Amino acid sequence: MSAATKFAWTPENEAEAQKHIAKYPEGKQQSAVMPLLDLAQRQNNGHVTIEIMEYIGKYLGMPAIRVQEVATFYTMYNHKPIGKHHVQVCGTTPCWLRGSDDIMAACKKHLGIEKGETTKDGMFTLGEVECAGGCVNAPQVSIGDDYFEDVTPETIVDILNKLAKGEKVTPGPQNGRQTSAPLGGPTTLADFKGKTAKSGGDA
Amino acid sequence: MPTLTINGTEVTVDAGKSVLQACEQAGVDVPRFCYHERLSIAGNCRMCLVEMERSPKPIASCAMPAGDGMVIHTDTELVKKSREGVMEFMLLNHPLDCPICDQGGECELQDQSVAFGSGDGRFSENKRAVEDKNMGPLVATTMTRCIHCMRCIRFSDEIAGVEIMGAIGRGDHTEVVTYLDGLLDTELSGNVIDLCPVGALTSKPYAFTARSWELKRHPSIDVMDAVGSNIEVDTRDGAVMRVLPRLHEDINEEWISDKTRFAYDGLKKRRLDRPYVRKAGKFEEATWGEAFAAIKTGLKGAKGNEIAALVGDTADMESMFALKGLMNSLGSQRIEARQDGAALDAKIRASYLMNTGIKGIEDADYLLLIGCNPRSEAVMVNARIRKGTVKNGLKVGRIGAVADLTYTVEDFGDDASLVKAAKGGRHEISKALKAASKPMIIVGQAALAREDGAAILKMAHDLADKYCISEGWNGFNILHTAASRVGALDLGLTTEEGIKGLLKSAKTGDVKAMFLLGADEFDSSTLADTFTVYMGTHGDEGVKHADVILPGVTYTEKAGTYINTEGRVQQAEKASVAPGDAREDWTILRALSDIVGETLPYNTLSELRIALNEAVPETATLDTLPEADWSDFGTDGDIAKTPIVPIGGNFYQTNPIARASDVMAECVSVREGATEEATGTNG
């Protein structure tokens, strides 16, 4: 490996790494392998390499193969370079029932790439993930660290367009839903609207 | 101690045992793949499911601690269904290519699918295929067959002490790999072949050469080092097809080193298969009669101690005893076995034995290595030391060259005079020895083969006397490298002058004739002008300047007695057929004695063994760790303040058999990254 690709913590990340290690008892610093891999992945623009695994192995005093086992077990560690925005469409049953196939198709068509590929300009990498835990607002798409919920083929294309231009996008439900509340506003206890003085009960 | 009921029978087991072990104790067989008694518990194959009353689900018996009052069933419908279900899952992605699989016939998956497999699979999708890995010249891989029991990973981590194997990916994409598809770089790597319950890891040199049911199995003893590992030599039509370990709890447990396992192809290469006589500088084929006549002529003019003999590292007791008999009948006492020149004292048995015993290492709490590298000199001893460090908190210190031994070693330097300092009492070594309740020292041949070897031996004795000897505990150990050495010392095959003196005498003409009994570990050019008879198996160093060559047999081709570094006497069976005209060494010597000296007084192996038992009473007791009497030995003297130089040579090529082996040569070259390196005789 050439010196140019040599990985080392930035001073900020070094401090961050030490913070993670400090969470675990003396001699158990290997427990910090996952946050450290994540930290390294962020520092390395979204993916980990063999060199990084070896660096972390040395840093935590554990064999490189043990780091590699962890890094390959969890799908959120990427092993290939990814675009600036990592678009991950959820394809598990609730999202699928709510039309994730259409979302995926829209993404593919808009970006002109297949699953697992990166656009030529290096802006987007497209992927499908198993349940991301946003079922209540399905279908859901993660882009980077943000969740975009209640997306439609139109809204996702809009979001991708804005990201491509560097405009601000708002994560969360894309259809006006407040967090994970019912979409049409409250449907129960509607009578109490305006007369909430004793809503706590008078027992 | 919990008492539990297994299939209606009550059984009481030691606390900490698992349900599976309790079942074994009750004589109930539980199928398993991932569980192995010498490895940590993984619990990932699920084959050992049994039913426990008051449990809603079947339990993995290997991972469930036995508890008081448990009621276990292994013969219910639920258990049968569970096992069948697990087996069906196991076979989903298994290629079922038994007819072309080397494991066929000795495959745990095959055996258990006969018992628990259903006739048909319900899985109609494509099976997954996994790329094969390259683990080096010894272990062949067919990773599609892997059932992910992870035994190999646990073995390399826990027993071999090299963390280079792992399982990457997950679920359907799990693959067992060596790190970056690299070499499985441990001298114990062959054991993963035995551990693999399927045909994912098989032996590369043995690949497609024989089926397990065609083989004849012969219990034998390894001669590649002085440990005396118990092995099984498997033959077909009289030829050695493979070597496997045989269980011996006190020596090699169920492991063997790669040299022991894979050097057997050297048994068929560069063999001396007929007598040769040198005529006008060139070897010519000869009959036994001609060879003996040439020896008789060559010995003319040499009297008594003008005839000398050197004993090789792999000689058995019988041939050494016969050689001694022949030499004595010629009036010579000049027989030397210490080819490395180690200052060992043949008079006191405790001075040249591993008195603590190999198993004894597990009881020790402090170990001082003096000029020895057990990882290359005695792999099984090293594995035992590692076991001690892992299981018993054994601490290891070292005086000698730094080398990775797979466990933590505290280095004190390689200066030989440190032995004196250690005895002194002020040095930290002394403090560590003093603080330990069962301390031991292991002195290697590198420390004894120096000019001041006898002084080091004396100092090591004093050191042991001061710290390592207590009631029922003798912590003084010599680690030999040659399988024949302890036996040779028991026979008293040493000379005052040592090998250096003998070779010098050969140059000056004080020694006129020299017998070499498989002696190849010295520079034979000093014997250029001496009448030399080489009796051995391979065209190696010893034949270079020989005048007569008598073809002997290797350890698999004769019944032999060997005494290991502990002083344990073991006997090997004859397993394979010697090539050509080669004869068992003692019969050659017996026949030769007829012609050149007095006829040796035995005609059969059993007669020889009776005579041997009389001469060396220790040989009468087989397979017992001896208790040698402790007394004074060594010679007072100055110890030079110079580094102890480790024994040279490569681990894979320490004897003529291993040097003739292509597999061993490949093991060397793959590590050196060289192409055509070290295939010669210079090891």
Side-chain angles (χ1 to χ4, degrees):
Chain A
M1 215 151 285
S2 71
T5 59
K6 203 108 191 121
F7 179 88
W9 295 123
T10 60
E12 305 85 66
N13 282 348
E14 168 96 49
E16 187 69 22
Q18 287 301 329
K19 238 192 260 173
H20 284 300
I21 292 171
K23 291 176 195 166
Y24 303 100
E26 188 71 38
K28 303 279 182 194
Q29 68 282 65
Q30 299 180 2
S31 303
V33 65
M34 290 182 64
L36 260 56
L37 275 168
D38 179 57
L39 197 61
Q41 172 163 294
R42 285 164 196 278
Q43 185 180 321
N44 193 42
N45 299 322
H47 77 286
V48 291
T49 59
I50 288 293
E51 197 212 355
I52 287 175
M53 294 176 211
E54 285 176 2
Y55 179 82
I56 290 177
K58 274 208 193 95
Y59 196 76
L60 295 175
M62 64 198 283
I65 181 76
R66 296 283 97 85
V67 184
Q68 199 193 4
E69 283 181 328
V70 172
T72 54
F73 185 89
Y74 294 100
T75 54
M76 285 167 82
Y77 299 116
N78 303 309
H79 294 268
K80 280 187 284 188
I82 56 160
K84 190 176 171 198
H85 302 289
H86 194 193
V87 182
Q88 295 176 300
V89 181
C90 176
T92 304
T93 317
C95 285
W96 174 63
L97 288 169
R98 297 278 294 150
S100 68
D101 282 355
D102 299 337
I103 308 290
M104 181 55 96
C107 290
K108 280 184 186 170
K109 194 173 164 218
H110 177 73
L111 298 172
I113 51 173
E114 285 298 313
K115 269 191 273 186
E117 293 179 354
T118 304
T119 53
K120 281 210 179 90
D121 58 2
M123 284 297 277
F124 295 99
T125 297
L126 182 62
E128 182 179 324
V129 289
E130 298 306 325
C131 187
C135 316
V136 67
N137 293 355
Q140 182 268 3
V141 177
S142 322
I143 302 178
D145 287 339
D146 292 325
Y147 273 27
F148 295 86
E149 298 145 12
D150 290 316
V151 291
T152 61
E154 292 76 36
T155 50
I156 189 69
V157 167
D158 185 44
I159 292 165
L160 294 176
N161 267 331
K162 282 184 177 161
L163 286 171
K165 285 185 223 150
E167 288 173 20
K168 203 168 171 285
V169 288
T170 318
Q174 301 299 308
N175 58 354
R177 189 202 300 269
Q178 184 194 2
T179 64
S180 53
L183 191 50
T187 53
T188 53
L189 304 177
D191 300 348
F192 285 91
K193 214 167 189 179
K195 326 179 221 173
T196 53
K198 285 189 177 177
S199 63
D202 54 1
Chain B
M1 296 220 299
T3 299
L4 54 170
T5 314
I6 293 164
N7 292 350
T9 318
E10 275 205 353
V11 55
T12 306
V13 297
D14 293 336
K17 293 270 181 201
S18 66
V19 171
L20 190 147
Q21 284 167 319
C23 288
E24 277 180 348
Q25 202 175 315
V28 174
D29 199 29
V30 179
R32 83 288 303 265
F33 291 109
C34 72
Y35 174 80
H36 192 276
E37 59 218 343
R38 287 176 214 280
L39 304 175
S40 64
I41 291 164
N44 51 9
C45 78
R46 317 309 288 178
M47 195 64 207
C48 65
L49 292 176
V50 297
E51 187 177 355
M52 179 169 74
E53 274 181 22
R54 291 144 66 85
S55 159
K57 300 189 289 183
I59 57 163
S61 59
C62 72
M64 175 69 82
D68 207 27
M70 278 181 175
V71 182
I72 306 290
H73 298 283
T74 69
D75 48 6
T76 59
E77 193 54 32
L78 176 76
V79 174
K80 185 167 177 283
K81 259 184 94 175
S82 312
R83 287 173 181 176
E84 284 173 0
V86 170
M87 179 54 77
E88 192 175 353
F89 268 120
M90 209 82 79
L91 295 178
L92 281 192
N93 276 319
H94 192 79
L96 300 178
D97 56 350
C98 309
I100 57 154
C101 176
D102 251 348
Q103 192 85 356
E106 48 185 0
C107 175
E108 289 172 47
L109 186 66
Q110 206 176 27
D111 294 349
Q112 293 187 26
S113 63
V114 169
F116 308 108
S118 58
D120 279 304
R122 288 175 288 178
F123 184 70
S124 54
E125 326 294 320
N126 285 333
K127 293 190 181 222
R128 79 173 195 150
V130 182
E131 230 171 277
D132 292 342
K133 311 291 180 282
N134 181 12
M135 296 191 182
L138 304 178
V139 182
T141 63
T142 310
M143 297 317 284
T144 304
R145 298 180 188 140
C146 177
I147 57 166
H148 309 123
C149 70
M150 316 298 183
R151 276 186 189 175
C152 51
I153 299 175
R154 280 175 283 147
F155 174 83
S156 48
D157 283 6
E158 294 162 15
I159 312 280
V162 288
E163 294 199 73
I164 44 178
M165 286 196 86
I168 61 167
R170 67 161 158 187
D172 203 21
H173 302 286
T174 308
E175 291 189 27
V176 172
V177 297
T178 48
Y179 185 60
L180 303 184
D181 206 11
L183 174 71
L184 181 50
D185 192 4
T186 158
E187 53 295 321
L188 285 163
S189 69
N191 295 300
V192 300
I193 297 166
D194 292 343
L195 282 171
C196 185
V198 297
L201 305 178
T202 52
S203 166
K204 220 176 235 181
Y206 170 69
F208 311 128
T209 54
R211 283 302 204 174
S212 62
W213 57 86
E214 303 170 328
L215 298 171
K216 274 206 180 119
R217 289 146 201 273
H218 307 270
S220 185
I221 302 297
D222 176 50
V223 298
M224 296 291 149
D225 54 29
V227 173
S229 294
N230 282 215
I231 53 172
E232 172 190 302
V233 178
D234 288 358
T235 63
R236 189 183 62 190
D237 301 336
V240 177
M241 302 310 289
R242 64 174 178 182
V243 173
L244 296 178
R246 201 152 46 87
L247 182 72
H248 195 305
E249 292 292 350
D250 295 343
I251 303 175
N252 55 314
E253 298 184 270
E254 60 188 85
W255 324 119
I256 49 173
S257 78
D258 287 350
K259 187 164 48 176
T260 304
R261 187 187 297 265
F262 292 114
Y264 64 86
D265 67 319
L267 296 172
K268 293 169 196 144
K269 299 199 173 92
R270 298 218 299 262
R271 281 301 295 272
L272 303 170
D273 58 355
R274 59 180 59 118
Y276 289 91
V277 176
R278 195 187 289 272
K279 284 181 188 158
K282 273 197 163 167
F283 280 124
E284 279 179 23
E285 290 176 13
T287 62
W288 280 102
E290 288 163 6
F292 284 169
I295 295 171
K296 192 167 186 186
T297 318
L299 289 180
K300 253 179 208 159
K303 280 202 193 78
N305 275 343
E306 287 171 354
I307 306 169
L310 280 177
V311 175
D313 286 354
T314 59
D316 55 322
M317 285 302 280
E318 286 81 356
S319 44
M320 289 190 287
F321 181 63
L323 178 69
K324 188 184 181 188
L326 174 71
M327 293 298 287
N328 290 354
S329 79
L330 290 168
S332 170
Q333 306 295 329
R334 266 177 146 171
I335 316 175
E336 177 59 63
R338 301 163 300 175
Q339 282 190 84
D340 50 8
L344 290 160
D345 187 348
K347 285 181 214 79
I348 292 147
R349 201 158 193 248
S351 77
Y352 56 84
L353 292 187
M354 179 172 236
N355 293 295
T356 313
I358 295 170
K359 197 174 195 320
I361 296 170
E362 283 180 41
D363 301 325
D365 53 358
Y366 188 80
L367 164 65
L368 178 65
L369 299 170
I370 301 172
C372 82
N373 177 346
R375 190 174 179 189
S376 66
E377 292 163 26
V379 177
M380 294 329 304
V381 170
N382 200 53
R384 200 63 84 124
I385 298 173
R386 184 178 153 77
K387 190 177 178 187
T389 61
V390 173
K391 297 250 162 90
N392 196 30
L394 172 66
K395 296 266 179 300
V396 184
R398 170 167 53 200
I399 300 173
V402 175
D404 176 16
L405 300 181
T406 71
Y407 40 85
T408 315
V409 178
E410 189 183 357
D411 273 300
F412 298 108
D414 61 357
D415 182 355
S417 63
L418 279 168
V419 183
K420 194 174 177 187
K423 192 220 149 195
R426 294 229 180 117
H427 198 277
E428 29 184 337
I429 306 173
S430 333
K431 284 174 194 158
L433 286 167
K434 203 166 187 180
S437 64
K438 285 185 169 176
M440 62 186 285
I441 61 171
I442 298 183
V443 184
Q445 302 305 300
L448 302 174
R450 293 157 49 103
E451 291 292 329
D452 54 3
I456 292 181
L457 182 66
K458 170 74 179 153
M459 195 53 72
H461 163 269
D462 293 350
L463 176 72
D465 205 43
K466 193 166 172 188
Y467 300 108
C468 308
I469 309 289
S470 56
E471 187 64 40
W473 180 258
N474 185 341
F476 178 82
N477 300 284
I478 297 285
L479 184 62
H480 291 279
T481 55
S484 65
R485 195 62 41 84
V486 171
L489 293 168
D490 283 343
L491 284 165
L493 305 185
T494 58
T495 52
E496 278 292 312
E497 56 206 323
I499 182 164
K500 268 191 191 160
L502 269 184
L503 294 177
K504 207 182 271 172
S505 303
K507 275 216 141 169
T508 59
D510 183 30
V511 167
K512 293 200 171 70
M514 180 73 92
F515 280 91
L516 302 176
L517 181 65
D520 292 291
E521 315 302 323
F522 68 102
D523 180 9
S524 68
S525 63
T526 45
L527 298 176
D529 302 325
T530 313
F531 177 73
T532 306
V533 178
Y534 181 82
M535 211 179 314
T537 55
H538 286 73
D540 204 272
E541 178 69 23
V543 301
K544 280 187 189 165
H545 297 92
D547 296 289
V548 179
I549 293 175
L550 304 176
V553 297
T554 61
Y555 68 112
T556 63
E557 292 148 9
K558 61 186 165 194
T561 307
Y562 301 92
I563 308 184
N564 79 351
T565 192
E566 301 171 296
R568 188 188 296 270
V569 184
Q570 302 188 98
Q571 280 182 347
E573 266 185 23
K574 176 183 160 133
S576 59
V577 180
D581 262 348
R583 294 283 183 276
E584 289 187 32
D585 306 70
W586 79 265
T587 61
I588 300 173
L589 291 158
R590 160 72 179 69
L592 184 60
S593 71
D594 234 2
I595 290 166
V596 299
E598 279 170 53
T599 306
L600 292 172
Y602 29 79
N603 296 317
T604 62
L605 185 63
S606 45
E607 282 176 27
L608 186 156
R609 281 188 174 159
I610 291 166
L612 175 64
N613 288 349
E614 274 167 25
V616 187
E618 286 88 355
T619 58
T621 320
L622 290 183
D623 199 8
T624 314
L625 184 69
E627 275 180 40
D629 292 330
W630 183 247
S631 60
D632 199 14
F633 50 80
T635 318
D636 275 318
D638 290 332
I639 298 175
K641 278 189 194 293
T642 49
I644 300 174
V645 183
I647 298 175
N650 192 295
F651 162 72
Y652 293 99
Q653 297 179 315
T654 51
N655 61 50
I657 301 169
R659 280 192 290 270
S661 157
D662 292 344
V663 177
M664 292 295 104
E666 221 178 312
C667 288
V668 175
S669 68
V670 78
R671 279 171 175 81
E672 285 175 350
T675 43
E676 290 297 320
E677 185 75 14
T679 49
T681 52
N682 309 323

